[in-house]
């Protein structure tokens, strides 16, 4: 078994490895599109950040490291995202993924990344490598509750309509994003290239809230069966952020055959009658100690204490999931 990083001629083989393992050899076209999109549309991609275990030219296992920066307590910190962790069934139980994860963690340490994050259900597996669960809270608004409390409320002066993310839209949305998302802990720091490649082409529906013809707020969502999932929201005026959100909700309830809308509790926690849900898929790990307001964060436990002290301040938009 050979451990190393992916080489250019192996890229197509790597796509098929990830697609076949994650899709269990079903829906290959869907999974191939997913992994190719997340590679080619990532402006920070780097072949040397894809770790592989190869057995006689067969990719047996792989781990990918995503390079990001996120907003954290008013500053920007470096983040290594872990994704594409996959091992072919016949090679499982050999410790391949653990070895590759340690290689990724060592690389993050060499590059002085502050923290690492990943999305997983195998908490014990990642916990052995230092990762801890960061519980996120979501709200679920059902159609009946919406009709009872909100449907009859007078519509505001703004207009909601679907948008296609033109260059002009993206320029204004970037301004809104910096104003709104930088107030939370966790949103990805974006540049124009990231907007035009990753954000623009992630599958979603995009809505804009216009006042006097100018984009004042936006919302991304996708529909999953009878549920609408809010992927991201931004508003240019934080003092009235609830007004566009309610108008978006009204638009979606009228336009989509959906029974519920799920959204991060952090963006609006005061809607009457909403159910609250907890999600334990996100895990975090401190890589390189850093200072925050004079306090040295030198352990994952200290990092968790800060993040759990203000759970309403943490957001990682679904648009940026890897």
């Amino acid at each position: 078994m050979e451990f190393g990083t992916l080489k250019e001629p192996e890229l197509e083989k790597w796509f098929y490895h990830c697609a076949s393992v994650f899709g269990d050899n079903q829906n290959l076209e869907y999974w191939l599109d997913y992994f190719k999109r997340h590679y080619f549309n990532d402006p920070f991609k780097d072949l040397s950040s894809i770790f592989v275990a190869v057995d006689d030219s067969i990719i047996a296992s792989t781990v990918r490291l995503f390079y990001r920066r996120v907003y954290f307590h008013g500053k920007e910190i470096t983040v290594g995202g872990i994704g594409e962790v996959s091992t072919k069934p016949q090679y499982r139980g050999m410790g391949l993924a653990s070895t590759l994860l340690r290689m990724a963690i060592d690389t993050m340490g060499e590059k002085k990344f502050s923290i690492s994050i990943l999305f997983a259900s195998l908490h014990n597996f990642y916990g052995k490598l230092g990762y801890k669960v960061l519980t996120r809270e979501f709200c679920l608004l059902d159609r009946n509750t919406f009709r009872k409390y909100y449907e009859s409320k007078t519509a505001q002066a703004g207009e909601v309509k679907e948008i296609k993310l033109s260059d002009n839209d993206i320029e204004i949305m970037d301004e809104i994003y910096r104003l709104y998302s930088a107030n939370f802990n966790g949103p990805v720091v974006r540049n124009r290239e990231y907007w035009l490649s990753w954000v623009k082409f992630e599958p979603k529906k995009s809505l804009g809230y216009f006042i006097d013809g100018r984009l004042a707020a936006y919302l991304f969502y996708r529909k999953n069966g009878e549920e609408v999932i809010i992927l991201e929201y931004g508003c240019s005026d934080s003092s009235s952020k609830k007004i566009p959100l309610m108008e978006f909700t009204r638009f979606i309830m009228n336009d989509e055959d959906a029974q519920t809308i799920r959204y991060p509790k952090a963006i609006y926690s005061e809607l009457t009658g909403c159910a609250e849900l907890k999600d334990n898929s996100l895990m975090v790990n401190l890589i390189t100690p850093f200072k925050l307001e004079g306090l040295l964060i030198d352990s994952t436990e200290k990092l968790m204490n800060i993040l759990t002290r203000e759970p309403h301040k943490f957001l990682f938009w679904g648009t940026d999931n890897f």
Side-chain angles (χ1 to χ4, degrees):
M1 192 68 65
E2 218 174 294
F3 295 91
T5 56
L6 195 70
K7 306 297 186 293
E8 185 79 40
E10 300 172 313
L11 190 55
E12 197 67 25
K13 185 189 298 184
W14 180 79
F15 290 140
Y16 273 90
H17 164 86
C18 293
S20 62
V21 174
F22 276 89
D24 195 22
N25 286 312
Q26 303 293 318
N27 300 318
L28 275 181
E29 290 305 314
Y30 167 84
W31 287 107
L32 281 170
D33 174 73
Y34 174 89
F35 291 111
K36 287 182 178 183
R37 188 176 72 244
H38 274 201
Y39 179 77
F40 291 116
N41 290 357
D42 186 354
F44 313 117
K45 63 182 176 291
D46 182 358
L47 273 176
S48 66
S49 68
I50 299 177
F51 304 91
V52 290
V54 179
D55 180 25
D56 192 23
S57 81
I58 297 173
I59 296 178
S61 184
T62 185
V63 168
R64 181 179 172 191
L65 177 57
F66 290 80
Y67 298 148
R68 299 289 187 267
R69 297 178 69 84
V70 301
Y71 295 110
F72 191 78
H73 280 264
K75 61 188 292 187
E76 297 179 11
I77 63 172
T78 48
V79 171
I82 297 294
E84 272 81 300
V85 181
S86 53
T87 303
K88 283 186 169 68
Q90 62 268 37
Y91 291 101
R92 291 171 188 169
M94 300 169 61
L96 303 184
S98 296
T99 298
L100 296 174
L101 278 163
R102 290 189 180 94
M103 291 170 65
I105 291 171
D106 288 344
T107 298
M108 286 186 280
E110 291 167 5
K111 294 180 179 294
K112 303 295 183 185
F113 277 37
S114 299
I115 66 173
S116 177
I117 66 173
L118 56 83
F119 297 89
S121 58
L122 301 175
H123 297 156
N124 289 338
F125 174 70
Y126 293 103
K128 293 174 183 177
L129 294 167
Y131 288 87
K132 294 187 179 297
V133 173
L134 178 62
T135 299
R136 294 178 295 164
E137 296 182 336
F138 291 83
C139 292
L140 201 63
L141 175 64
D142 65 78
R143 183 175 288 275
N144 290 334
T145 300
F146 173 75
R147 285 175 175 167
K148 181 178 179 180
Y149 294 106
Y150 307 107
E151 189 177 45
S152 62
K153 289 187 180 296
T154 304
Q156 302 300 316
E159 178 189 8
V160 175
K161 57 185 177 181
E162 193 167 346
I163 54 178
K164 300 298 183 184
L165 272 65
S166 66
D167 286 1
N168 184 57
D169 287 338
I170 285 176
E171 185 176 339
I172 300 171
M173 289 164 72
D174 184 46
E175 295 176 11
I176 294 172
Y177 182 86
R178 293 170 191 266
L179 177 67
Y180 184 82
S181 289
N183 294 305
F184 296 97
N185 300 324
V188 169
V189 178
R190 298 173 178 174
N191 58 19
R192 181 171 175 79
E193 187 181 3
Y194 185 86
W195 273 101
L196 291 173
S197 53
W198 185 286
V199 177
K200 184 173 182 176
F201 293 105
E202 278 299 278
K204 62 187 174 302
K205 285 193 175 181
S206 307
L207 300 178
Y209 180 75
F210 294 83
I211 297 177
D212 297 328
R214 179 173 175 80
L215 185 66
Y218 72 90
L219 181 139
F220 299 150
Y221 74 93
R222 64 179 171 84
K223 191 165 178 282
N224 183 18
E226 294 187 335
E227 182 174 89
V228 163
I229 299 171
I230 304 303
L231 301 174
E232 180 174 324
Y233 173 66
C235 179
S236 60
D237 183 356
S238 59
S239 65
S240 63
K241 64 182 180 180
K242 300 171 187 176
I243 294 175
L245 192 57
M246 282 307 305
E247 294 307 302
F248 284 135
T249 302
R250 189 196 311 274
F251 183 93
I252 292 170
M253 283 296 192
N254 291 332
D255 197 57
E256 297 280 5
D257 181 23
Q259 294 303 310
T260 56
I261 295 180
R262 179 195 298 245
Y263 60 91
K265 185 178 178 181
I267 66 174
Y268 197 3
S269 61
E270 300 167 7
L271 282 180
T272 304
C274 284
E276 294 188 5
L277 305 172
K278 294 186 183 299
D279 179 276
N280 290 324
S281 63
L282 180 66
M283 303 186 77
V284 301
N285 191 5
L286 180 77
I287 302 299
T288 305
F290 63 96
K291 282 191 174 182
L292 182 67
E293 298 172 354
L295 174 67
L296 178 64
I297 311 300
D298 57 2
S299 70
T300 302
E301 288 74 14
K302 283 187 179 179
L303 176 63
M304 291 294 294
N305 286 338
I306 289 173
L307 290 171
T308 55
R309 192 169 60 209
E310 297 178 305
H312 61 286
K313 291 284 288 182
F314 184 85
L315 271 176
F316 191 87
W317 296 120
T319 316
D320 299 306
N321 281 355
F322 41 78

